[in-house]
Amino acid sequence: MAVTIKDVARAAGVSASTVTRALTAPELVHPATRDRVRQTAATLGYHPNRAARGLITGRTGNLGLLVPDLGNPFFPSVVKGVQARAHEGDYAVFLADTDEDTAAEIGLVRRLSKQVDGIVLCSPRMTDDELRTLAADTPLVLLNRRLARVPSVIPDFAEAMRQAVSHLAALGHRRIAYVAGPRVSWANRERVRALRAAAGATGVEVVEVGNVMPQFEGGVAAADQVLAAGVTAVIGYNDLVALGLLNRFTARGVRVPGEISVLGFDDIAPAAMVHPSLTTVALPKEQAGRAGVDLLLQLLEQPDRPAVRRELPVQLMVRGSTGPIPR
Amino acid sequence: MAVTIKDVARAAGVSASTVTRALTAPELVHPATRDRVRQTAATLGYHPNRAARGLITGRTGNLGLLVPDLGNPFFPSVVKGVQARAHEGDYAVFLADTDEDTAAEIGLVRRLSKQVDGIVLCSPRMTDDELRTLAADTPLVLLNRRLARVPSVIPDFAEAMRQAVSHLAALGHRRIAYVAGPRVSWANRERVRALRAAAGATGVEVVEVGNVMPQFEGGVAAADQVLAAGVTAVIGYNDLVALGLLNRFTARGVRVPGEISVLGFDDIAPAAMVHPSLTTVALPKEQAGRAGVDLLLQLLEQPDRPAVRRELPVQLMVRGSTGPIPR
DNA sequence: TTGAAAGCGGTACCAA
DNA sequence: TTGGTACCGCTTTCAA
């Protein structure tokens, strides 16, 4: 059986209340008592039961984290950031993978909400209304999704697209394709919008292909349509899609970037592992995770503060998959 | 404020005890009462607070999961398996990434143990003694690690190496390199042992290079030593290392498999994304996660049953990175 | 078949 | 500065 506060109290010859104080409000107890209690607790290997504590304080010391698909390396990076920051604040993390399933998402939030102080929702697929309903019950922070009156962390999509399109335009491309991700993805809609703006500003023509799943296979499936569209460059919804395009082009003997340039988003690890390596716009991942926890902890401290929206910087990583237009 | 059992009791005109029974032991309450209570609970959106329940039942309904590095796609796959099986059993999962840090590993187990019913330890780096100490306090299941009297799930390493070496031998390779992973990795020691056995049986000579970190960069770093060793094939500790080798070979203009064959372990997603694609021995990942939870739940049911050890099958995936010896 | 009361491991408040 | 007591939300006797 685990050692409880009573065991410590008995061993130290004090009451349970004093043990609590010695551990959580040291200034309220006599130094000698405090030291004795702490010493005893350490010897016995006492660690307070957070669940029991949470019952009365209303704080569990746990955070929830939902991601759509751990199979996409983007999300493990976010998870790492969340974990790192959470542990610094002495929080533990409940993680759930929703498998891109909206219903599962809602159920998991409900399920988790009792056991955690707040939840970081990464790239949620549910509707704005559903989100708002949940946010009314549980402290929520959104990653890669914007919603009025809910704290959120988002990459600077507009800037990301500007960098991508400017790069291609500078290489001489005038007609490019965009392989779209899931229609329910807020990030996809944002990217489309930003792309149109950036393309308009640079006089580049855009052909949309898709929608596809935000996975390698989605890119593979879209590749032939892209080739048929008569473009000299293609931007994938994310790196996985771009890697799928790259793979299919190579398999068909289409030279990259000799005949077509390929560009992705995210900068996941495999982007640097392939040959040619993938030019991509690096989105903050660990950093976004950390920022999400920051906002959540703020929200827990001051529930009534107006919701903060944090926009994080992005950076184009020029690698081997983009080059001058074929001539 | 969340709805509690009292709210339901009041709304349904019964006592809290009856609500509990209606929900957890339906046969003990009158069908009419049961239905009314359940209906009320549903309307109010009542979900029992698992922490409070755990306080009295000793069961939290939570499982812990520790992995060394979510950045290696192998582990997210395992996580998916664990989650899937856990949710089927109505358990939630606490995940922690230890960043390959032994001290963090131990601390996290201690930290988690109060909040969960049991812990799945994936590829733990700590020593046998440390493991055994923890296992005495907390129900533990090991993945990719074997330890007497502790339930464990491991891939059939011996068979994996046999398949790998036989494949290379059949292609004519007689002198191959092995790029070793971390010295503290049990899996690495097992692979070395299995490799020696398999090599001895087939008359293949093995050169060991390393140890390196089990990452892409480790493979990149080892590649030149491998070339200098005068071998015609190389087996990486895992796919990330093999991908690093592949990348560096390609960058140096060394043709794969024309001049050297490359083989990995794990079958992570990026192995199929590169060109040439990576020949690898597929280890069970989701399946291992599921099996781990199975064993843990068994252990919770029958704590005194002798520890089960489950060995899972493996399969060589022949792809583009291995071929006949150069001539 | 149901309700009252006790208690799981803590913390917070009040009184001493 | 300390101890006693009530209570967080829930389950489990025990009696009715």
Side-chain angles (χ1 to χ4, degrees):
Chain A
M1 204 46 205
V3 6
T4 77
I5 199 171
K6 285 182 189 164
D7 301 323
V8 180
R10 198 174 316 121
V14 297
S15 72
S17 327
T18 302
V19 176
T20 290
R21 277 186 225 110
L23 264 26
T24 62
E27 69 282 3
L28 293 182
V29 6
H30 191 91
T33 321
R34 170 167 55 71
D35 293 344
R36 182 158 42 89
V37 170
R38 297 195 146 199
Q39 180 56 49
T40 315
T43 316
L44 265 47
Y46 169 72
H47 296 277
N49 181 325
R50 333 259 309 196
R53 168 187 290 176
L55 216 45
I56 182 139
T57 60
R59 290 293 188 88
T60 61
N62 300 327
L63 299 183
L65 172 61
L66 256 64
V67 298
D69 177 22
L70 278 177
N72 179 348
F74 180 86
F75 296 109
S77 294
V78 175
V79 174
K80 282 208 154 203
V82 167
Q83 295 234 5
R85 180 65 186 84
H87 289 152
E88 284 171 20
D90 204 26
Y91 279 83
V93 176
F94 262 121
L95 173 76
D97 179 316
T98 64
D99 262 320
E100 303 271 354
D101 177 348
T102 305
E105 233 172 33
I106 300 175
L108 283 165
V109 170
R110 292 235 126 89
R111 161 87 208 259
L112 240 46
S113 62
K114 290 288 200 320
Q115 318 204 46
V116 301
D117 297 335
I119 298 182
V120 176
L121 270 181
C122 191
S123 311
R125 305 306 195 206
M126 66 184 98
T127 67
D128 284 0
D129 282 348
E130 292 168 330
L131 269 179
R132 224 182 293 275
T133 307
L134 294 179
D137 287 344
T138 310
L140 231 54
V141 168
L142 304 179
L143 260 41
N144 296 328
R145 175 89 174 242
R146 185 164 44 209
L147 184 65
R149 310 170 58 73
V150 178
S152 59
V153 179
I154 49 178
D156 188 344
F157 280 133
E159 172 62 16
M161 247 339 155
R162 262 196 303 274
Q163 291 188 15
V165 173
S166 306
H167 173 61
L168 293 177
L171 290 169
H173 299 275
R174 287 294 168 265
R175 184 178 153 84
I176 68 177
Y178 172 71
V179 178
R183 217 181 299 272
V184 292
S185 157
W186 179 84
N188 182 60
R189 295 194 298 271
E190 288 293 300
R191 279 174 211 187
V192 169
R193 186 185 347 186
L195 173 59
R196 289 196 184 132
T202 41
V204 167
E205 184 187 353
V206 176
V207 183
E208 270 186 51
V209 175
N211 310 65
V212 302
M213 287 295 284
Q215 290 158 14
F216 180 77
E217 291 72 18
V220 172
D224 300 307
Q225 291 178 62
V226 170
L227 287 181
V231 298
T232 59
V234 55
I235 299 181
Y237 165 72
N238 65 9
D239 281 352
L240 284 181
V241 169
L243 288 169
L245 293 165
L246 211 53
N247 186 273
R248 176 70 183 158
F249 292 157
T250 305
R252 279 191 55 180
V254 175
R255 286 171 298 112
V256 176
E259 298 174 61
I260 190 166
S261 284
V262 179
L263 198 148
F265 278 94
D266 289 354
D267 192 26
I268 59 178
M273 298 184 188
V274 297
H275 191 89
S277 55
L278 181 66
T279 294
T280 184
V281 183
L283 304 187
K285 295 175 284 292
E286 274 97 349
Q287 195 193 347
R290 301 189 72 95
V293 175
D294 279 337
L295 292 194
L296 190 48
L297 297 186
Q298 274 182 29
L299 182 63
L300 296 176
E301 295 296 324
Q302 317 172 15
D304 301 322
R305 239 173 57 129
V308 180
R309 178 173 309 154
R310 197 126 115 212
E311 197 167 54
L312 299 181
V314 300
Q315 177 58 55
L316 175 72
M317 314 291 285
V318 176
R319 301 217 183 91
S321 67
T322 49
I325 52 165
R327 37 155 300 134
Chain B
M1 203 47 204
V3 7
T4 77
I5 201 170
K6 284 182 189 166
D7 301 322
V8 179
R10 199 174 315 120
V14 296
S15 72
S17 335
T18 302
V19 176
T20 290
R21 281 186 217 110
L23 265 25
T24 62
E27 70 282 2
L28 293 183
V29 359
H30 191 91
T33 321
R34 168 167 55 69
D35 294 343
R36 181 159 41 91
V37 170
R38 295 195 146 195
Q39 181 57 50
T40 314
T43 315
L44 266 47
Y46 169 72
H47 295 276
N49 180 325
R50 334 260 306 196
R53 169 186 289 175
L55 216 46
I56 180 145
T57 60
R59 289 293 189 87
T60 61
N62 300 328
L63 299 182
L65 172 61
L66 258 62
V67 298
D69 178 21
L70 277 178
N72 179 348
F74 180 85
F75 296 108
S77 293
V78 175
V79 174
K80 282 209 154 205
V82 167
Q83 296 233 2
R85 180 64 187 86
H87 289 153
E88 284 171 19
D90 203 26
Y91 279 82
V93 176
F94 263 122
L95 174 76
D97 179 317
T98 64
D99 262 319
E100 303 271 355
D101 177 347
T102 305
E105 234 172 32
I106 299 175
L108 282 166
V109 170
R110 293 235 124 89
R111 162 86 208 259
L112 240 46
S113 62
K114 287 287 201 319
Q115 318 204 46
V116 301
D117 296 335
I119 298 182
V120 176
L121 270 182
C122 192
S123 311
R125 305 306 196 205
M126 65 184 97
T127 67
D128 284 1
D129 282 349
E130 293 168 328
L131 268 180
R132 224 183 294 274
T133 307
L134 294 179
D137 287 345
T138 310
L140 231 53
V141 168
L142 305 178
L143 260 42
N144 296 328
R145 175 90 174 242
R146 185 163 44 210
L147 184 65
R149 310 169 57 74
V150 178
S152 60
V153 179
I154 48 178
D156 188 344
F157 280 133
E159 172 61 16
M161 243 348 149
R162 262 196 304 273
Q163 291 187 17
V165 173
S166 306
H167 172 60
L168 293 177
L171 290 168
H173 299 275
R174 289 292 168 264
R175 184 177 153 82
I176 69 177
Y178 172 71
V179 178
R183 219 181 297 272
V184 292
S185 158
W186 178 85
N188 182 60
R189 295 195 299 270
E190 287 294 298
R191 280 175 210 188
V192 169
R193 186 182 352 181
L195 173 58
R196 288 194 185 135
T202 42
V204 167
E205 185 187 352
V206 176
V207 183
E208 270 187 51
V209 175
N211 309 68
V212 302
M213 285 296 283
Q215 291 159 13
F216 181 76
E217 291 72 18
V220 172
D224 300 307
Q225 291 178 63
V226 169
L227 288 181
V231 298
T232 59
V234 54
I235 299 181
Y237 165 72
N238 66 8
D239 281 352
L240 285 181
V241 169
L243 288 170
L245 293 166
L246 211 52
N247 187 274
R248 176 72 182 155
F249 291 158
T250 306
R252 277 190 55 181
V254 176
R255 284 172 301 112
V256 177
E259 299 174 61
I260 189 167
S261 285
V262 179
L263 199 148
F265 279 95
D266 288 355
D267 192 25
I268 58 177
M273 299 183 186
V274 298
H275 192 88
S277 56
L278 182 67
T279 294
T280 184
V281 182
L283 305 187
K285 295 175 285 292
E286 274 97 349
Q287 195 193 349
R290 301 189 71 96
V293 175
D294 279 337
L295 293 194
L296 191 48
L297 297 187
Q298 273 182 29
L299 181 62
L300 295 176
E301 295 295 324
Q302 317 172 13
D304 301 322
R305 239 172 58 129
V308 179
R309 179 175 309 156
R310 197 124 117 212
E311 197 168 54
L312 300 181
V314 300
Q315 177 59 55
L316 175 72
M317 314 291 284
V318 176
R319 302 216 181 91
S321 67
T322 49
I325 50 165
R327 38 155 299 134

